[in-house]
Amino acid sequence: MSHTAPDPFAPSSAAPAPPDGRPGSADQESIGRLVGEVSRDLSTLVRQEVALAKAEVAQSAKNAGKGAGMFGGAGVAGHMVLVFLSISLWWALATWLGGGWSALVVAGVWAVIAAVLALRGRAALQSVGGLPKTAESVKKIPDALRGHEERNA
């Protein structure tokens, strides 16, 4: 006598009954599942926006740090070059103007150079951007939540 067990992976022909036997409970379960999915998707969206903001801040800080470090190193090296060039210019001008006047001329040239560099440095620091990608994507969230994604295009 051959006895075969039913296949547990075979599709069932019987439709699943609602959990509590009431006619509307399947609809309520679907709505509950949808609300759960929306909640989970919204949570994921918020986490992704926070991660994007962190990445942009880290990248901006990294770039600013590199730039500042390189400017510092260039400043030290340039300072040494300029000290020796200034002494040479002072010495060369001293033969025509005298030691005191030549020192004032060299100091005046350096005052003008310092003012120009300070103004350009301030303008460069003011141009450091914020979080443009994060701000743009956060503006799209309200329309996406309302189901108006076409407004974000």
Side-chain angles (χ1 to χ4, degrees), residues 49 52-53 55-57 59-60 127-140:
E49 290 301 322
L52 177 61
E56 284 185 317
V57 167
Q59 186 64 37
S60 291
S127 71
V128 173
L131 310 173
K133 291 178 184 175
T134 301
E136 181 181 326
S137 64
V138 166
K139 288 178 186 175
K140 294 178 180 181

Side-chain angles (χ1 to χ4, degrees), residues 57-76:
V57 167
Q59 186 64 37
S60 291
K62 183 178 175 182
N63 289 343
K66 278 184 184 178
M70 289 185 186
F71 275 128
V76 169

Side-chain angles (χ1 to χ4, degrees), residues 28-68:
Q28 290 173 352
E29 181 180 316
S30 296
I31 291 172
R33 188 169 25 96
L34 287 175
V35 168
E37 287 176 10
V38 167
S39 174
R40 187 173 50 250
D41 290 346
L42 183 60
S43 175
T44 300
L45 177 64
V46 169
R47 280 195 303 271
Q48 288 173 343
E49 290 301 322
V50 168
L52 177 61
K54 284 180 181 179
E56 284 185 317
V57 167
Q59 186 64 37
S60 291
K62 183 178 175 182
N63 289 343
K66 278 184 184 178

